[in-house]
Amino acid sequence: MGEMIRMVVTLAILSAVSGGVLAGVQQWTKDPIERQKLANEKAPVIRQILEGTENDPIADRFTLNDGTRDYLIFPGRVNNEPIMVLEDRAQGYSGDVHVMVGFSLKNDTLVGAGVTTHSETPGIGSRAKDDPSFTRQFKGKKAGAPDSLRLDGGSLDSISGATITARAVVQAVERASSAYLRLKPELESSKREKEE
Amino acid sequence: MPRPLHKEFLKGLWEEIPPFRLVLGLCPVLAVTMTVENGIGMGLATTFVLVCSNVLISILRNQIPPKVRIACYILVIATFVTIVDMLMQAFTYPLYQKLGIFIPLIVVNCVVLGRAEAFASKNSVLPSLADGLGIGIGFTLSLAALGALREAFGNGTLLGHSIFGPGYQPLTFLVEAPGAFIGLGILLGLMNLISQRR
């Protein structure tokens, strides 16, 4: 009996110390990891959506709150039209799928979308990111109704073998679109401030 | 019979060099050694885990009840692996992206658990530190050597710099999975040849 208690206590103490140390390291590395992800995973997608913009959308980013959470906004200007890029997420096959979506402030259409961070199955769900032909379909859709997969009654082609991931991307785009519409008044005022 | 510290350290570099002599921990050896950089990165991450877990397990060796020792070792190792994982994400992100899933998989690397069970649990702190360092550096060197072989002949580069000039036709199969086995076999054979001659 005494041996039993000793085993339980040893394991419990070790686990508790391990948990404490990891929580500390996680706190300490949270900000640098965010910055690295921004520079390595998000920036390429943002630059692709805002191809041809003259400013640096990463440096010009700002934060807006839509009442539920903070959104990072990456502003740009393509063909003299102001574009706002923001990111939202939805539950995929394993963990959240993050999707960056660009909106034209003039007519509320999507100018582009791209998957940034995800943990989907390599070679299957990961094609949502690696093969841009899926996310390219969002171009030109309206922010009010960004469309859904053909098998859900919409007009988008799914990713074969990765319907759950494709649905997650669609849902993330929907969320980003409604966040954009909620934030639109503030986005327009932020744009005006910049021009003045 | 306590051996001098430098012997505990040096044995990891030749006598018991992990992938070739102990033939342990082959999964990362085969999977990530497409380039020298990947090999060194993986080797250093493993060395960090190996040294820290060896030292901590040797400190705790008289406190850990024998029946749950493996669970305790895995817990200690997993903690250090998670720390490495977060540190690499925070400070060497591009390398972290390349090594991907193989960093968390250090937890189940037989070399690390093997040293905990076979060495750190029976020896005091200093020899365990020397053992961890030696085996870790040996592991790093092996990965770097295999990475160099595969990168040089499979891609014509070393650390990203072209070495054979533009006329070289790379043996691309070497950077793919079969090349890992063939490269490992060649290095193993060379090592056996050298030890036989001595």
Side-chain angles (χ1 to χ4, degrees):
Chain A
M1 193 60 203
E3 196 197 355
M4 189 75 162
I5 292 172
R6 207 176 139 225
M7 291 197 285
V8 173
V9 170
T10 314
L11 269 175
I13 293 175
L14 262 183
S15 309
V17 172
S18 154
V21 169
L22 288 182
V25 177
Q26 204 253 348
Q27 272 302 318
W28 176 54
T29 53
K30 211 170 79 186
D31 290 340
I33 290 177
E34 257 335 286
R35 273 200 301 276
Q36 293 274 13
K37 281 199 174 143
L38 189 62
N40 289 291
E41 306 255 23
K42 305 199 196 291
V45 180
I46 297 167
R47 295 229 159 78
Q48 198 195 331
I49 294 174
L50 288 173
E51 212 182 330
T53 190
E54 275 161 22
N55 65 329
D56 179 358
I58 315 295
D60 293 346
R61 67 180 187 272
F62 54 91
T63 313
L64 285 183
N65 192 305
D66 74 331
T68 54
R69 54 172 278 227
D70 283 342
Y71 283 89
L72 269 180
I73 314 286
F74 303 92
R77 183 173 280 275
V78 180
N79 298 332
N80 226 6
E81 272 187 41
I83 313 274
M84 296 291 169
V85 181
L86 60 93
E87 188 186 52
D88 215 320
R89 60 183 177 226
Q91 170 72 35
Y93 188 69
S94 59
D96 280 343
V97 177
H98 291 73
V99 184
M100 199 62 84
V101 191
F103 300 92
S104 163
L105 210 46
K106 205 172 76 180
N107 50 16
D108 296 343
T109 51
L110 277 67
V111 295
V115 176
T116 53
T117 42
H118 69 86
S119 42
E120 304 297 283
T121 320
I124 303 175
S126 70
R127 275 179 293 158
K129 178 182 176 124
D130 305 331
D131 176 3
S133 61
F134 178 68
T135 44
R136 209 182 284 142
Q137 299 177 92
F138 289 103
K139 200 172 176 175
K141 304 289 180 196
K142 289 277 167 208
D147 212 347
S148 57
L149 297 183
R150 194 167 287 162
L151 56 146
D152 296 329
S155 69
L156 302 173
D157 289 322
S158 182
I159 308 167
S160 59
T163 309
I164 296 175
T165 310
R167 280 208 183 102
V169 175
V170 170
Q171 201 184 357
V173 171
E174 268 167 24
R175 286 182 184 166
S177 303
S178 48
Y180 162 77
L181 293 175
R182 281 196 297 277
L183 293 168
K184 199 181 174 205
E186 292 174 70
L187 287 171
E188 290 198 307
S189 62
S190 76
K191 179 197 123 209
R192 229 168 291 132
E193 268 165 40
K194 197 164 271 171
E195 280 167 3
E196 274 160 14
Chain B
M1 36 135 222
R3 290 201 291 176
L5 282 184
H6 68 274
K7 280 220 168 126
E8 297 294 6
F9 174 73
L10 288 175
K11 72 168 193 281
L13 302 185
W14 183 263
E15 240 178 279
E16 290 185 23
I17 189 165
F20 302 124
R21 277 296 138 81
L22 305 177
V23 201
L24 277 182
L26 289 188
C27 166
V29 174
L30 296 169
V32 304
T33 51
M34 276 85 78
T35 63
V36 188
E37 190 196 353
N38 283 8
I40 295 175
M42 186 71 202
L44 291 181
T46 311
T47 306
F48 174 83
V49 174
L50 198 55
V51 170
C52 295
S53 63
N54 253 15
V55 168
L56 194 64
I57 286 166
S58 127
I59 293 172
L60 297 174
R61 72 186 186 282
N62 297 324
Q63 267 68 52
I64 293 176
K67 279 187 186 159
V68 289
R69 67 181 193 285
I70 300 291
C72 293
Y73 299 162
I74 291 288
L75 191 62
V76 169
I77 294 167
T79 307
F80 285 118
V81 170
T82 313
I83 292 175
V84 169
D85 188 74
M86 290 195 273
L87 289 180
M88 286 187 73
Q89 271 192 70
F91 301 108
T92 57
Y93 201 84
L95 185 64
Y96 173 81
Q97 275 179 308
K98 276 187 233 157
L99 297 177
I101 184 71
F102 293 101
I103 293 297
L105 279 180
I106 297 174
V107 177
V108 288
N109 190 324
C110 305
V111 175
V112 184
L113 186 62
R115 293 332 284 178
E117 168 75 3
F119 198 93
S121 63
K122 302 185 183 100
N123 290 279
S124 56
V125 178
L126 276 181
S128 299
L129 174 72
D131 177 79
L133 261 182
I135 297 279
I137 292 171
F139 190 69
T140 310
L141 288 177
S142 320
L143 261 69
L146 189 53
L149 180 82
R150 293 177 66 191
E151 193 185 341
F153 295 106
N155 200 27
T157 58
L158 261 189
L159 287 169
H161 301 291
S162 179
I163 48 170
F164 293 126
Y168 177 71
Q169 279 293 321
L171 305 162
T172 26
F173 80 98
L174 267 178
V175 287
E176 283 155 29
F181 286 95
I182 293 168
L184 182 72
I186 292 173
L187 288 182
L188 245 169
L190 279 178
M191 281 204 60
N192 283 343
L193 196 72
I194 297 170
S195 353
Q196 250 174 23
R197 290 267 165 89
R198 288 218 286 200

